[in-house]
Amino acid sequence: MLEEPTKCSMCCCTMLNKILMVVFMILLMFGIWFGNLLTLAVVFGTKPFHTPQGYLKASLAVADLAVGIFVLPLSLYAELTLLLTGAAPGWTVRNSQYTPFHPCSYIGPVFAGCTLVSITTVFLLTIERSIAVLKPLHKEVLITRRRTSMLIVFSWTGSFFLALAPLIFSKQIALEYNACSRMCNYALEAYEFPPQAWNILLLFPAFDFTLLIGTVVTNIISFTKIRHHSRKRRRLAQAGCQSTSGPSFSDIKAAKTIGALTLVFTVSFTPVAVFVVGNVTGNEWCNFSFFAFWTLAASSCWNVIIYSVRDQKFRIRARQLLVLSKRKHSP
């Protein structure tokens, strides 16, 4: 299905909007680079962060960094070319089935795969924190670095297989640079929606919502336990006693950090899932498409903000690394 070159979402119909969109892309790209490189520097450069939770945070940072390195620069290149020359690159008006070595053939699966990795990793972080809260005496046995590493490998393998599934199992699905979302998206060759292609495209929102619902439910259970334990501690403190059971304060703070991360990712992923369902049922939703996909892309720079606000150890170490880097580069 060829994309109409004149089709335009609200973000790019005037010169001012085009300029603002390009500036937004540049700022977001550098924000993702800075935030996730800083997260990786803190996790890998600080021994106390060499924990299962640290490994999961590093995996999440790598997935987000890949979005900033591969996905956003392609969109920025296409929009800068259109802004400066008045004509978009030729590959933006043809899908991957009509253009050999189409950029979207590589960038599309990377974006989809990294998005699925992020969702899976947030789910694994939630499970890891729930075990620390619900079974504090067993967390060292149940949560090991080896098991966590295996889960990370599995999440990356499974996520990218799912990202490639539409191209593997249906010849009617291709990748194109969408004039509405300004990103590489899956597209149907035919204007009618064949049942097989319908089912394949619905894998993404089904997977997203299943994991998000599981993550939210797990967080609710964990926070219920934290609330009950906090009340118990207050009662014992008033009676002059001290509680020796239950999750530690650091585990509780970490659980709250992951809860904030879950909230941000849920808000970021839901619009895209809704858009995919609407698109499969025949709704184009051009302006909503741009909002949905770029809200999802923007979630890639939220992690370091959440860690810095919620995690004092991360904040202190990040500040130390930035000060050290500044001193090294100062004359």
Side-chain angles (χ1 to χ4, degrees), residues 150-161:
M150 292 175 62
L151 287 172
I152 289 172
V153 171
F154 178 77
S155 72
W156 278 83
T157 304
S159 295
F160 273 86
F161 175 77

Side-chain angles (χ1 to χ4, degrees), residues 226-241:
I226 290 172
R227 187 178 180 183
H228 173 75
H229 183 66
S230 298
R231 288 178 176 176
K232 181 180 178 181
R233 274 183 171 168
R234 284 197 297 268
R235 288 197 301 266
L236 290 173
Q238 291 173 357
C241 302

Side-chain angles (χ1 to χ4, degrees), residues 166-207:
L167 306 179
I168 296 173
F169 297 111
S170 177
K171 295 181 179 180
Q172 298 165 320
I173 299 176
L175 282 156
E176 66 178 12
Y177 187 79
N178 189 278
C180 292
S181 68
R182 325 306 288 184
M183 280 190 176
C184 293
N185 297 148
Y186 295 96
L188 287 169
E189 268 295 292
Y191 285 95
E192 296 181 357
F193 289 80
Q196 182 185 7
W198 176 304
N199 294 333
I200 292 173
L201 287 178
L202 285 178
L203 280 174
F204 294 111
F207 182 82

Side-chain angles (χ1 to χ4, degrees), residues 41-106:
V42 170
V43 172
F44 289 124
T46 312
K47 193 171 182 180
F49 286 93
H50 295 176
T51 62
Q53 183 184 156
Y55 288 180
L56 289 170
K57 287 181 177 179
S59 176
L60 183 59
V62 170
D64 290 338
L65 187 60
V67 172
I69 291 176
F70 298 106
V71 179
L72 269 60
L74 182 66
S75 296
L76 178 61
Y77 168 75
E79 299 311 315
L80 271 176
T81 303
L82 178 61
L83 179 65
L84 297 176
T85 66
W91 54 267
T92 63
V93 295
R94 296 186 296 272
N95 68 33
S96 58
Q97 293 186 349
Y98 292 98
T99 305
F101 305 107
H102 196 290
C104 286
S105 297
Y106 311 97

Side-chain angles (χ1 to χ4, degrees), residues 45 265 286 289 319:
F265 272 76
C286 191
S289 171
R319 188 184 297 118

